Amino acid sequence: MQFDLSSQPEIVQQAYGYAVQGWELALSWLLSPAAWSQFALLVLAWLLAGVIARKLKPALHALIDPGEGENLFATPRRFILPYLALISPLLAYALTGIGEGIVRSLFDSGAVIAFGKRLFLFLAARALVRDIIKDSFLKLLGRYILLPIMAVYALGLLDVASAALTETIVGVGNIRFSLMTLVRGLIAGSLLFWLGQWSNTQTTALIAKNEEMRPSIRQLLIKTAEFSIFAIAFLLLMNIMGINLSALAVLGGAIGVGLGFGLQKIASNFISGVILLVEGQATVGDYVELDGGEQGKIVKMMARAAILETFDGRWIVVPNEDFITTRVVNYSDSGSANRYEAPFSVSYDTDINLVPSLIEAAVAKHPEVLDLPYPPDCELRGFGDNGIDFAVEFWVNGLDDGPNKYTSDVLFLIWNALKDAGIEIPYPQRVVEIKGGLPKVDT
């Protein structure tokens, strides 16, 4: 059946032409004894591969599976185990390849056999994506990139599609490339992105295990490795796409102008972050207080900013530049001790000469209170309205935060020591003088 499609778009005419060719090929296969024998060979190869796979899989699984043991080869063996799902289609491909030579010698034709081999490869790719790949990103690439490509290859149209994409040229500015280059760059870029992420994760874990390094140096090495990995990935991608890096000179100049004007803050924060990591003035795990009053523990340092976590669980994003250009108080730099004080008052009836030694001895019993750089020190602070004011200063390794209630514990010790010594902690009190005496009441 023929249709006149001369008035239709070219893509419709091409699709119709391919459909007609496919229909004629199918008819030729249906009416050809050679084609039927090749179909029979494909079915036989698939059934035989299934039988062999059912016998072979349990034996290979028992041989490869390391069980619960841990040794040098346990991880590679566990990695290989899921690939046993590919045995059946790959065996069918191999058996078909063996029979292909016989069929071609008898019938001087092997088109159906070639189609079957491509179909078995498609089934292997489908098993790979469905049963073996566990990473969500790789599974996504397999489902929407690998399987469509394998389907086109199985139909024998891969060369046609490749030629059409290669002939279609697009341009951006002074850069011109084909759609095939774009598709190749998309596939390669996706794989390089995943590989870069995986490499960065492994490198970060390896560097983080080295506790002999200063935390700031570890962070600097982690960031350096991250930028190096993705810079290499970018250069590889440009090479795969066939883009001359000199063609990006104009784009690089535009980026340079942007950094000089609109992106100068980002550049400043990036350089400040590098300075922080090199000097180690503030790093992950330090508790800091900024000039603006923000306080918290540094939980993450990024290229542009650091993240502080407060005691109430909030995250504060602080630009790296603030650590360089403003005053920063670091309460935990180099693991140094911190001094706190606990104020209290005693009654005016107290012999205040006994209080310092009593309180210092009581506070020194706390297991976290240090003798160095200074032991607990009780000082007289003044004579208040309600009592005599004292404060005890003490040093601890750590912060008086939610998990560490140093001041609260010390106040408990002070209370118990004063109670045991019979020293009164005064209530608020006032002396009221009524001039002229109290008014007389008539009875």
Side-chain angles (χ1 to χ4, degrees):
M1 182 179 295
Q2 299 291 330
F3 296 95
D4 184 11
L5 301 177
S6 58
S7 60
Q8 300 297 322
E10 183 179 355
I11 187 173
V12 175
Q13 297 180 32
Q14 291 180 351
Y16 176 71
Y18 292 139
V20 170
Q21 293 178 15
W23 174 253
E24 292 175 351
L25 179 62
L27 286 178
S28 66
W29 284 359
L30 289 174
L31 301 176
S32 170
W36 279 104
S37 64
Q38 294 177 54
F39 276 122
L41 180 61
L42 291 177
V43 173
L44 179 62
W46 178 254
L47 294 176
L48 183 60
V51 172
I52 296 175
R54 280 195 295 270
K55 300 290 185 181
L56 192 59
K57 275 184 182 180
L60 290 177
H61 190 280
L63 179 65
I64 298 174
D65 188 7
E68 300 296 330
E70 292 294 338
N71 52 57
L72 181 62
F73 301 101
T75 300
R77 290 167 68 181
R78 290 193 185 97
F79 177 79
I80 295 173
L81 271 179
Y83 287 88
L84 295 179
L86 300 179
I87 289 179
S88 183
L90 292 181
L91 272 176
Y93 178 85
L95 293 173
T96 305
I98 295 172
E100 183 179 12
I102 301 174
V103 172
R104 287 187 182 276
S105 63
L106 293 177
F107 300 100
D108 196 22
S109 172
V112 177
I113 287 287
F115 169 75
K117 290 172 65 178
R118 295 194 299 268
L119 180 62
F120 292 147
L121 286 181
F122 171 78
L123 294 176
R126 179 172 172 269
L128 176 69
V129 174
R130 184 189 61 188
D131 302 325
I132 299 175
I133 297 176
K134 301 302 180 184
D135 184 86
S136 58
F137 183 74
L138 288 182
K139 188 177 284 289
L140 185 69
L141 290 181
R143 185 176 296 132
Y144 294 105
I145 294 181
L146 177 62
L147 289 184
I149 290 176
M150 293 303 297
V152 173
Y153 172 72
L155 295 174
L157 300 176
L158 187 60
D159 292 338
V160 176
S162 177
L165 291 174
T166 303
E167 294 172 358
T168 306
I169 305 298
V170 295
V172 178
N174 63 338
I175 303 176
R176 299 182 63 79
F177 50 86
S178 65
L179 283 181
M180 186 63 185
T181 301
L182 185 62
V183 172
R184 189 165 59 236
L186 177 63
I187 297 173
S190 301
L191 292 175
L192 287 173
F193 171 79
W194 177 84
L195 184 61
Q197 286 287 94
W198 180 83
S199 301
N200 184 52
T201 302
Q202 299 299 317
T203 304
T204 299
L206 181 62
I207 295 175
K209 290 179 180 178
N210 195 338
E211 297 182 354
E212 296 179 358
M213 296 183 186
R214 285 169 46 199
S216 59
I217 298 298
R218 288 204 301 267
Q219 288 295 316
L220 179 60
L221 289 177
I222 288 171
K223 293 301 178 184
T224 302
E226 180 179 356
F227 284 114
S228 300
I229 288 170
F230 284 103
I232 294 172
F234 174 77
L235 294 176
L236 287 175
L237 178 60
M238 294 297 102
N239 186 52
I240 292 172
M241 294 182 66
I243 296 177
N244 189 354
L245 293 179
S246 62
L248 300 177
V250 176
L251 180 60
I255 293 176
V257 174
L259 286 174
F261 290 97
L263 303 180
Q264 56 182 339
K265 278 292 184 183
I266 295 178
S268 175
N269 284 315
F270 174 77
I271 296 173
S272 298
V274 174
I275 294 173
L276 282 174
L277 292 175
V278 171
E279 294 185 351
Q281 295 175 349
T283 187
V284 174
D286 288 354
Y287 186 86
V288 297
E289 179 181 358
L290 303 181
D291 203 22
E294 298 90 349
Q295 299 183 50
K297 179 187 291 186
I298 302 177
V299 294
K300 191 174 184 181
M301 296 192 73
M302 301 178 294
R304 186 191 65 84
I307 297 179
L308 307 185
E309 184 177 15
T310 63
F311 291 142
D312 54 4
R314 293 181 298 170
W315 278 22
I316 303 175
V317 180
V318 181
N320 291 329
E321 187 181 13
D322 289 358
F323 288 91
I324 303 297
T325 59
T326 62
R327 182 180 64 89
V328 178
V329 179
N330 193 335
Y331 290 96
S332 51
D333 185 31
S334 300
S336 59
N338 296 303
R339 190 193 72 176
Y340 296 97
E341 66 175 42
F344 63 97
S345 300
V346 298
S347 170
Y348 275 99
D349 296 331
T350 304
D351 183 359
I352 60 174
N353 297 296
L354 304 176
V355 172
S357 58
L358 175 68
I359 298 303
E360 290 169 1
V363 175
K365 295 178 181 178
H366 193 286
E368 301 294 333
V369 173
L370 304 176
D371 291 330
L372 295 174
Y374 300 102
D377 181 24
C378 184
E379 299 177 352
L380 176 64
R381 292 297 173 85
F383 301 99
D385 295 337
N386 305 311
I388 303 174
D389 298 328
F390 284 88
V392 59
E393 298 174 349
F394 59 95
W395 291 77
V396 290
N397 270 327
L399 301 172
D400 191 11
D401 54 13
N404 302 317
K405 301 178 178 62
Y406 298 129
T407 303
S408 175
D409 295 341
V410 167
L411 288 173
F412 271 106
L413 292 172
I414 293 172
W415 172 275
N416 293 328
L418 294 178
K419 285 294 184 181
D420 292 342
I423 298 175
E424 179 184 356
I425 298 177
Y427 294 100
Q429 51 187 295
R430 294 291 183 270
V431 176
V432 179
E433 181 181 355
I434 300 177
K435 292 185 178 181
L438 295 172
K440 295 181 178 179
V441 180
D442 296 334
T443 59

